[in-house]
Short mmCIF file of all heavy atoms in Angstrom, two decimals:
data_model
loop_
_atom_site.label_atom_id
_atom_site.label_comp_id
_atom_site.label_asym_id
_atom_site.label_seq_id
_atom_site.Cartn_x
_atom_site.Cartn_y
_atom_site.Cartn_z
N GLN W 27 -14.65 -5.55 -11.27
CA GLN W 27 -15.69 -6.43 -10.78
C GLN W 27 -15.95 -6.00 -9.39
O GLN W 27 -15.17 -5.29 -8.73
CB GLN W 27 -15.32 -7.93 -10.89
CG GLN W 27 -14.15 -8.33 -10.04
CD GLN W 27 -13.68 -9.77 -10.33
OE1 GLN W 27 -12.99 -10.03 -11.29
NE2 GLN W 27 -14.12 -10.65 -9.45
N SER W 28 -17.07 -6.49 -8.82
CA SER W 28 -17.47 -5.99 -7.49
C SER W 28 -16.42 -6.33 -6.43
O SER W 28 -15.89 -7.45 -6.37
CB SER W 28 -18.76 -6.65 -7.08
OG SER W 28 -19.10 -6.25 -5.74
N VAL W 29 -16.13 -5.37 -5.58
CA VAL W 29 -15.26 -5.52 -4.45
C VAL W 29 -16.06 -5.34 -3.14
O VAL W 29 -15.46 -5.18 -2.09
CB VAL W 29 -14.03 -4.58 -4.47
CG1 VAL W 29 -13.20 -4.87 -5.72
CG2 VAL W 29 -14.44 -3.15 -4.39
N SER W 30 -17.34 -5.37 -3.30
CA SER W 30 -18.24 -5.12 -2.12
C SER W 30 -17.90 -3.79 -1.57
O SER W 30 -17.85 -2.81 -2.27
CB SER W 30 -18.13 -6.27 -1.13
OG SER W 30 -19.06 -6.11 -0.09
N SER W 31 -17.59 -3.71 -0.26
CA SER W 31 -17.16 -2.43 0.34
C SER W 31 -15.70 -2.50 0.72
O SER W 31 -15.22 -1.65 1.50
CB SER W 31 -18.03 -2.12 1.55
OG SER W 31 -17.86 -3.10 2.53
N TYR W 32 -14.96 -3.49 0.21
CA TYR W 32 -13.59 -3.72 0.63
C TYR W 32 -12.61 -2.84 -0.11
O TYR W 32 -11.71 -3.35 -0.82
CB TYR W 32 -13.26 -5.21 0.48
CG TYR W 32 -14.14 -6.10 1.32
CD1 TYR W 32 -14.70 -7.28 0.76
CD2 TYR W 32 -14.39 -5.81 2.59
CE1 TYR W 32 -15.47 -8.10 1.50
CE2 TYR W 32 -15.24 -6.66 3.39
CZ TYR W 32 -15.73 -7.80 2.80
OH TYR W 32 -16.52 -8.59 3.58
N LEU W 33 -12.76 -1.54 0.02
CA LEU W 33 -11.90 -0.61 -0.68
C LEU W 33 -11.34 0.39 0.25
O LEU W 33 -12.03 0.91 1.11
CB LEU W 33 -12.71 0.11 -1.77
CG LEU W 33 -11.78 0.89 -2.69
CD1 LEU W 33 -11.55 0.18 -4.04
CD2 LEU W 33 -12.22 2.33 -2.89
N ALA W 34 -10.05 0.67 0.09
CA ALA W 34 -9.36 1.64 0.96
C ALA W 34 -8.74 2.73 0.06
O ALA W 34 -8.52 2.55 -1.12
CB ALA W 34 -8.25 0.97 1.72
N TRP W 35 -8.51 3.88 0.72
CA TRP W 35 -7.85 5.00 0.07
C TRP W 35 -6.62 5.44 0.85
O TRP W 35 -6.61 5.48 2.10
CB TRP W 35 -8.82 6.19 0.02
CG TRP W 35 -10.00 6.08 -0.87
CD1 TRP W 35 -11.24 5.63 -0.53
CD2 TRP W 35 -10.08 6.42 -2.30
NE1 TRP W 35 -12.06 5.69 -1.63
CE2 TRP W 35 -11.38 6.11 -2.68
CE3 TRP W 35 -9.12 6.92 -3.18
CZ2 TRP W 35 -11.76 6.34 -4.03
CZ3 TRP W 35 -9.54 7.17 -4.49
CH2 TRP W 35 -10.83 6.88 -4.90
N TYR W 36 -5.57 5.74 0.13
CA TYR W 36 -4.31 6.19 0.71
C TYR W 36 -3.86 7.50 0.09
O TYR W 36 -4.18 7.76 -1.07
CB TYR W 36 -3.18 5.17 0.47
CG TYR W 36 -3.48 3.80 1.05
CD1 TYR W 36 -4.25 2.86 0.36
CD2 TYR W 36 -3.01 3.44 2.31
CE1 TYR W 36 -4.54 1.60 0.89
CE2 TYR W 36 -3.27 2.19 2.86
CZ TYR W 36 -4.01 1.28 2.11
OH TYR W 36 -4.33 0.07 2.70
N GLN W 37 -3.17 8.25 0.85
CA GLN W 37 -2.51 9.51 0.40
C GLN W 37 -0.99 9.31 0.40
O GLN W 37 -0.52 8.77 1.36
CB GLN W 37 -2.95 10.66 1.35
CG GLN W 37 -2.31 11.99 1.04
CD GLN W 37 -2.47 12.96 2.21
OE1 GLN W 37 -1.88 12.76 3.26
NE2 GLN W 37 -3.26 14.00 1.99
N GLN W 38 -0.36 9.77 -0.63
CA GLN W 38 1.08 9.77 -0.65
C GLN W 38 1.67 11.09 -1.11
O GLN W 38 1.27 11.63 -2.21
CB GLN W 38 1.60 8.66 -1.57
CG GLN W 38 3.09 8.45 -1.47
CD GLN W 38 3.59 7.32 -2.33
OE1 GLN W 38 3.10 7.06 -3.42
NE2 GLN W 38 4.67 6.63 -1.87
N LYS W 39 2.57 11.64 -0.31
CA LYS W 39 3.28 12.84 -0.70
C LYS W 39 4.66 12.47 -1.18
O LYS W 39 5.18 11.38 -0.85
CB LYS W 39 3.31 13.80 0.49
CG LYS W 39 1.98 14.21 0.95
CD LYS W 39 1.98 15.12 2.19
CE LYS W 39 0.64 15.49 2.65
NZ LYS W 39 0.66 16.34 3.86
N PRO W 40 5.29 13.36 -1.99
CA PRO W 40 6.62 13.02 -2.55
C PRO W 40 7.63 12.63 -1.43
O PRO W 40 7.76 13.34 -0.41
CB PRO W 40 7.03 14.34 -3.24
CG PRO W 40 5.74 14.96 -3.57
CD PRO W 40 4.81 14.63 -2.47
N GLY W 41 8.31 11.53 -1.69
CA GLY W 41 9.34 11.08 -0.79
C GLY W 41 8.87 10.46 0.53
O GLY W 41 9.63 10.14 1.40
N GLN W 42 7.52 10.24 0.61
CA GLN W 42 6.98 9.69 1.85
C GLN W 42 6.25 8.36 1.51
O GLN W 42 5.85 8.11 0.35
CB GLN W 42 5.96 10.67 2.48
CG GLN W 42 6.60 11.94 2.95
CD GLN W 42 5.60 12.79 3.66
OE1 GLN W 42 4.53 12.39 4.09
NE2 GLN W 42 5.97 14.10 3.86
N ALA W 43 6.05 7.58 2.56
CA ALA W 43 5.26 6.35 2.44
C ALA W 43 3.79 6.76 2.36
O ALA W 43 3.36 7.84 2.79
CB ALA W 43 5.49 5.52 3.63
N PRO W 44 2.96 5.93 1.82
CA PRO W 44 1.50 6.15 1.79
C PRO W 44 0.96 6.22 3.22
O PRO W 44 1.54 5.67 4.15
CB PRO W 44 0.94 4.93 1.04
CG PRO W 44 2.07 4.44 0.24
CD PRO W 44 3.30 4.69 1.09
N ARG W 45 -0.18 6.92 3.31
CA ARG W 45 -0.90 7.02 4.62
C ARG W 45 -2.34 6.56 4.36
O ARG W 45 -2.99 7.02 3.44
CB ARG W 45 -0.88 8.48 5.09
CG ARG W 45 -1.67 8.70 6.39
CD ARG W 45 -1.52 10.08 6.95
NE ARG W 45 -2.20 11.14 6.22
CZ ARG W 45 -2.80 12.19 6.76
NH1 ARG W 45 -2.84 12.30 8.08
NH2 ARG W 45 -3.35 13.12 6.03
N LEU W 46 -2.81 5.74 5.25
CA LEU W 46 -4.21 5.26 5.15
C LEU W 46 -5.18 6.35 5.51
O LEU W 46 -5.05 7.01 6.56
CB LEU W 46 -4.38 4.01 6.09
CG LEU W 46 -5.82 3.47 6.19
CD1 LEU W 46 -6.21 2.90 4.87
CD2 LEU W 46 -5.91 2.46 7.31
N LEU W 47 -6.18 6.60 4.64
CA LEU W 47 -7.20 7.59 4.91
C LEU W 47 -8.53 6.94 5.25
O LEU W 47 -9.15 7.29 6.24
CB LEU W 47 -7.40 8.49 3.63
CG LEU W 47 -6.23 9.27 3.12
CD1 LEU W 47 -6.65 9.98 1.81
CD2 LEU W 47 -5.77 10.33 4.12
N ILE W 48 -8.98 6.08 4.37
CA ILE W 48 -10.31 5.51 4.45
C ILE W 48 -10.21 4.00 4.24
O ILE W 48 -9.38 3.55 3.38
CB ILE W 48 -11.22 6.05 3.32
CG1 ILE W 48 -11.31 7.62 3.42
CG2 ILE W 48 -12.57 5.37 3.31
CD1 ILE W 48 -12.21 8.11 4.54
N TYR W 49 -10.92 3.20 4.96
CA TYR W 49 -11.00 1.77 4.76
C TYR W 49 -12.43 1.30 4.69
O TYR W 49 -13.30 1.96 5.25
CB TYR W 49 -10.15 0.99 5.79
CG TYR W 49 -10.68 1.04 7.19
CD1 TYR W 49 -11.54 0.10 7.67
CD2 TYR W 49 -10.31 2.12 8.02
CE1 TYR W 49 -11.99 0.15 8.97
CE2 TYR W 49 -10.77 2.17 9.32
CZ TYR W 49 -11.65 1.19 9.79
OH TYR W 49 -12.08 1.25 11.06
N ASP W 50 -12.58 0.18 3.99
CA ASP W 50 -13.92 -0.36 3.80
C ASP W 50 -14.92 0.70 3.31
O ASP W 50 -15.99 0.84 3.88
CB ASP W 50 -14.42 -1.09 5.08
CG ASP W 50 -13.65 -2.43 5.29
OD1 ASP W 50 -12.85 -2.76 4.40
OD2 ASP W 50 -13.87 -3.05 6.33
N ALA W 51 -14.44 1.40 2.35
CA ALA W 51 -15.22 2.38 1.55
C ALA W 51 -15.53 3.67 2.26
O ALA W 51 -15.47 4.75 1.63
CB ALA W 51 -16.52 1.77 1.04
N SER W 52 -15.86 3.65 3.56
CA SER W 52 -16.32 4.87 4.17
C SER W 52 -15.82 5.11 5.59
O SER W 52 -16.29 6.09 6.24
CB SER W 52 -17.85 4.83 4.19
OG SER W 52 -18.33 3.79 4.91
N ASN W 53 -14.94 4.32 6.09
CA ASN W 53 -14.47 4.45 7.48
C ASN W 53 -13.19 5.19 7.50
O ASN W 53 -12.19 4.77 6.88
CB ASN W 53 -14.24 3.07 8.10
CG ASN W 53 -15.52 2.29 8.20
OD1 ASN W 53 -16.43 2.58 9.03
ND2 ASN W 53 -15.68 1.26 7.39
N ARG W 54 -13.18 6.34 8.21
CA ARG W 54 -12.02 7.12 8.35
C ARG W 54 -10.98 6.41 9.24
O ARG W 54 -11.41 5.95 10.32
CB ARG W 54 -12.25 8.53 8.83
CG ARG W 54 -12.44 9.57 7.75
CD ARG W 54 -12.44 10.97 8.31
NE ARG W 54 -13.44 11.12 9.35
CZ ARG W 54 -14.69 11.33 9.20
NH1 ARG W 54 -15.18 11.50 7.94
NH2 ARG W 54 -15.48 11.48 10.22
N ALA W 55 -9.75 6.41 8.88
CA ALA W 55 -8.67 5.82 9.73
C ALA W 55 -8.46 6.79 10.87
O ALA W 55 -8.83 7.96 10.88
CB ALA W 55 -7.43 5.61 8.91
N THR W 56 -7.78 6.29 11.89
CA THR W 56 -7.45 7.04 13.08
C THR W 56 -6.68 8.31 12.74
O THR W 56 -5.70 8.25 12.01
CB THR W 56 -6.62 6.19 14.07
OG1 THR W 56 -7.36 5.01 14.39
CG2 THR W 56 -6.33 6.96 15.34
N GLY W 57 -7.20 9.42 13.22
CA GLY W 57 -6.47 10.67 13.05
C GLY W 57 -6.72 11.36 11.75
O GLY W 57 -6.15 12.46 11.50
N ILE W 58 -7.58 10.86 10.91
CA ILE W 58 -7.82 11.46 9.59
C ILE W 58 -8.92 12.55 9.77
O ILE W 58 -9.99 12.25 10.32
CB ILE W 58 -8.25 10.43 8.59
CG1 ILE W 58 -7.11 9.37 8.41
CG2 ILE W 58 -8.61 11.07 7.22
CD1 ILE W 58 -5.80 9.96 8.01
N PRO W 59 -8.70 13.73 9.24
CA PRO W 59 -9.67 14.82 9.42
C PRO W 59 -11.00 14.55 8.74
O PRO W 59 -11.04 13.78 7.74
CB PRO W 59 -8.95 16.00 8.74
CG PRO W 59 -7.52 15.70 8.68
CD PRO W 59 -7.46 14.18 8.58
N ALA W 60 -12.03 15.14 9.29
CA ALA W 60 -13.41 14.91 8.82
C ALA W 60 -13.62 15.41 7.41
O ALA W 60 -14.65 15.02 6.77
CB ALA W 60 -14.37 15.51 9.77
N ARG W 61 -12.77 16.24 6.87
CA ARG W 61 -12.92 16.73 5.50
C ARG W 61 -12.73 15.65 4.45
O ARG W 61 -13.14 15.76 3.32
CB ARG W 61 -11.97 17.90 5.16
CG ARG W 61 -10.54 17.60 5.20
CD ARG W 61 -9.72 18.87 4.92
NE ARG W 61 -8.27 18.61 4.88
CZ ARG W 61 -7.47 18.62 5.92
NH1 ARG W 61 -8.02 18.92 7.12
NH2 ARG W 61 -6.17 18.35 5.77
N PHE W 62 -12.14 14.51 4.88
CA PHE W 62 -11.98 13.39 4.01
C PHE W 62 -13.16 12.41 4.24
O PHE W 62 -13.48 12.02 5.37
CB PHE W 62 -10.68 12.61 4.35
CG PHE W 62 -9.46 13.32 3.92
CD1 PHE W 62 -8.80 14.10 4.88
CD2 PHE W 62 -8.91 13.22 2.66
CE1 PHE W 62 -7.62 14.80 4.50
CE2 PHE W 62 -7.76 13.91 2.31
CZ PHE W 62 -7.13 14.73 3.27
N SER W 63 -13.81 12.03 3.12
CA SER W 63 -14.90 11.07 3.28
C SER W 63 -14.87 10.17 2.08
O SER W 63 -14.46 10.51 0.96
CB SER W 63 -16.27 11.74 3.40
OG SER W 63 -16.56 12.49 2.22
N GLY W 64 -15.36 8.92 2.28
CA GLY W 64 -15.42 7.94 1.21
C GLY W 64 -16.85 7.37 1.09
O GLY W 64 -17.56 7.32 2.09
N SER W 65 -17.19 7.01 -0.13
CA SER W 65 -18.51 6.42 -0.37
C SER W 65 -18.40 5.45 -1.51
O SER W 65 -17.38 5.40 -2.22
CB SER W 65 -19.49 7.55 -0.73
OG SER W 65 -19.14 8.21 -1.93
N GLY W 66 -19.44 4.68 -1.64
CA GLY W 66 -19.58 3.73 -2.75
C GLY W 66 -19.59 2.28 -2.28
O GLY W 66 -19.33 1.95 -1.11
N SER W 67 -19.95 1.42 -3.22
CA SER W 67 -19.92 -0.03 -3.00
C SER W 67 -19.97 -0.73 -4.34
O SER W 67 -20.39 -0.10 -5.36
CB SER W 67 -21.05 -0.49 -2.08
OG SER W 67 -22.28 -0.27 -2.72
N GLY W 68 -19.65 -1.99 -4.36
CA GLY W 68 -19.64 -2.75 -5.62
C GLY W 68 -18.47 -2.36 -6.49
O GLY W 68 -17.38 -2.83 -6.24
N THR W 69 -18.75 -1.57 -7.53
CA THR W 69 -17.66 -1.25 -8.46
C THR W 69 -17.32 0.26 -8.49
O THR W 69 -16.31 0.61 -9.13
CB THR W 69 -18.03 -1.72 -9.91
OG1 THR W 69 -19.21 -1.04 -10.30
CG2 THR W 69 -18.23 -3.18 -9.96
N ASP W 70 -18.11 1.09 -7.89
CA ASP W 70 -17.86 2.55 -8.00
C ASP W 70 -17.71 3.20 -6.66
O ASP W 70 -18.60 3.09 -5.79
CB ASP W 70 -19.01 3.22 -8.80
CG ASP W 70 -18.96 2.85 -10.24
OD1 ASP W 70 -18.04 3.18 -10.92
OD2 ASP W 70 -20.00 2.17 -10.74
N PHE W 71 -16.58 3.90 -6.52
CA PHE W 71 -16.20 4.49 -5.25
C PHE W 71 -15.72 5.92 -5.42
O PHE W 71 -15.23 6.28 -6.50
CB PHE W 71 -15.12 3.66 -4.54
CG PHE W 71 -15.52 2.25 -4.26
CD1 PHE W 71 -15.39 1.27 -5.22
CD2 PHE W 71 -16.03 1.89 -3.05
CE1 PHE W 71 -15.79 -0.05 -5.00
CE2 PHE W 71 -16.43 0.59 -2.75
CZ PHE W 71 -16.27 -0.36 -3.72
N THR W 72 -15.96 6.71 -4.38
CA THR W 72 -15.55 8.10 -4.40
C THR W 72 -14.87 8.51 -3.14
O THR W 72 -15.33 8.12 -2.08
CB THR W 72 -16.79 9.01 -4.63
OG1 THR W 72 -17.45 8.64 -5.84
CG2 THR W 72 -16.38 10.49 -4.70
#
Side-chain angles (χ1 to χ4, degrees):
Chain W
Q27 63 189 80
S28 176
V29 299
S30 186
S31 62
Y32 299 134
L33 190 102
W35 291 94
Y36 299 84
Q37 175 194 69
Q38 188 178 33
K39 298 178 182 179
Q42 295 185 17
R45 177 174 73 142
L46 176 66
L47 299 175
I48 301 286
Y49 65 94
D50 289 355
S52 61
N53 297 288
R54 266 190 307 277
T56 301
I58 301 304
R61 64 181 183 273
F62 291 93
S63 64
S65 64
S67 66
T69 60
D70 290 297
F71 299 85
T72 300

